[in-house]
Amino acid sequence: MIRFILIVIIVVGFLVLSIPLLFIEWLIGKWNPHARDLSSLRIIQFMFRVILKVAGTKVTVIGEENVPKDRPVLYIGNHNSYFDILVTYSRCPNLTGYIAKDSMEKIPLLSTWMKRLHCLFLNRTDMKEGLKTILAGIEKVKKGISICIFPEGTRNKEDHLELMPFKEGSMKIAEKSGCPIVPMSLNNTAAIFEDHFPKIRPTHVILEYGKPIYPKELSKEDRKFLGAYTRNIISQTVLKNAGIERSSDESAKKN
């Protein structure tokens, strides 16, 4: 429980103390919006790394060289934990907005930072509003900002090795903007917090980036079911890395 309490204090403390910082960032944006955006990105990445450190989370990263650094991408990943966002966002090399559920837009200060970081809010029950969010994501990519989405639609709370179906609509961001898709597989993130709520435990997490997928280079059938195609790649990687995860757990127990 100590780790949980410390992290709550860090999050609440940062949100409150960052009010003057938001004002400073706003002033920077008046002269140089790009500098403000990069500054905001690095500030939040630093805070996420602090939280992961306090949580005792060790992250093994595989395939980071697969992430293009010279263009925006669409990150697609499986989703088991709130910590998926911290683990992946802390490693984004360039400006990246996440697509989050619209209920998060109602949280004071947190939503302010999310908007500053180009995050978008998705209404899962209203198809018309959902389409607007996807179109906004396409425009972000065209402006050079990467987008990350977890297309299972919600956290997978059951079998973490069995991915839920991917929402095909989320793939439109890559199809319409022409950006590559970067598959991200996450193993063991639920073991940080969700598997034993409210305790936070030291955990070994594996994050693997797959090779970029260029939709235009795929067959007509794979382009038609791009979500299923991407899901299959991530699913295979999650199963592969489950072996590393188990070996790490067994080694930790012996020590």
Side-chain angles (χ1 to χ4, degrees):
M1 281 295 291
I2 294 176
R3 293 179 189 271
F4 176 78
I5 293 169
L6 284 174
I7 289 173
V8 169
I9 292 171
I10 290 170
V11 172
V12 175
F14 171 76
L15 290 175
V16 173
L17 295 175
S18 69
I19 294 174
L21 190 56
L22 283 167
F23 178 70
I24 294 170
E25 292 283 278
W26 176 79
L27 288 176
I28 294 172
K30 286 291 184 179
W31 283 273
N32 192 330
H34 185 68
R36 175 205 60 200
D37 290 348
L38 278 177
S39 174
S40 296
L41 170 69
R42 301 310 177 202
I43 289 169
I44 296 303
Q45 285 182 322
F46 171 76
M47 291 307 302
F48 280 0
R49 292 189 187 108
V50 169
I51 292 171
L52 290 170
K53 184 76 173 177
V54 172
T57 304
K58 176 187 174 184
V59 183
T60 294
V61 182
I62 303 171
E64 200 160 20
E65 68 278 2
N66 290 323
V67 181
K69 307 297 190 297
D70 60 345
R71 60 186 301 182
V73 304
L74 176 65
Y75 294 101
I76 295 291
N78 58 309
H79 194 23
N80 296 322
S81 169
Y82 290 117
F83 277 85
D84 294 336
I85 298 162
L86 281 72
V87 169
T88 56
Y89 194 74
S90 61
R91 305 202 71 86
C92 291
N94 299 309
L95 297 179
T96 304
Y98 277 50
I99 293 184
K101 55 185 178 181
D102 59 348
S103 60
M104 298 192 73
E105 192 173 10
K106 301 174 183 177
I107 304 174
L109 293 176
L110 177 61
S111 62
T112 305
W113 274 105
M114 291 178 73
K115 291 173 184 176
R116 179 66 57 80
L117 297 166
H118 298 283
C119 292
L120 300 170
F121 301 94
L122 179 65
N123 187 324
R124 298 172 182 166
T125 58
D126 188 323
M127 289 186 63
K128 187 176 180 180
E129 291 300 313
L131 178 59
K132 288 181 181 179
T133 302
I134 297 301
L135 292 174
I138 294 169
E139 289 305 310
K140 292 281 188 187
V141 171
K142 288 180 178 179
K143 292 177 182 177
I145 300 163
S146 296
I147 293 293
C148 178
I149 189 168
F150 300 105
E152 290 172 281
T154 186
R155 285 182 296 111
N156 187 345
K157 301 173 185 176
E158 301 300 328
D159 184 352
H160 301 319
L161 297 180
E162 179 63 35
L163 277 61
M164 295 186 290
F166 280 12
K167 310 291 184 184
E168 293 288 342
S170 58
M171 303 295 160
K172 295 295 181 185
I173 294 175
E175 292 180 79
K176 298 299 183 182
S177 69
C179 76
I181 296 169
V182 175
M184 302 186 303
S185 67
L186 289 146
N187 282 69
N188 215 28
T189 50
I192 302 172
F193 178 57
E194 284 79 4
D195 285 352
H196 36 72
F197 174 85
K199 295 180 180 179
I200 290 177
R201 292 179 177 169
T203 305
H204 177 211
V205 168
I206 303 169
L207 166 62
E208 179 164 350
Y209 297 97
K211 293 183 178 179
I213 300 167
Y214 295 89
K216 290 183 179 179
E217 297 179 2
L218 300 177
S219 67
K220 184 177 179 181
E221 184 69 13
D222 287 336
R223 287 200 307 270
K224 185 178 180 181
F225 300 104
L226 190 52
Y229 178 86
T230 307
R231 177 188 179 277
N232 184 54
I233 291 173
I234 295 173
S235 180
Q236 289 179 13
T237 310
V238 166
L239 291 173
K240 171 182 72 76
N241 289 339
I244 301 175
E245 175 189 324
R246 283 193 291 271
S247 297
S248 175
D249 290 344
E250 290 171 3
S251 176
K253 288 177 182 177
K254 288 179 181 179
N255 294 331

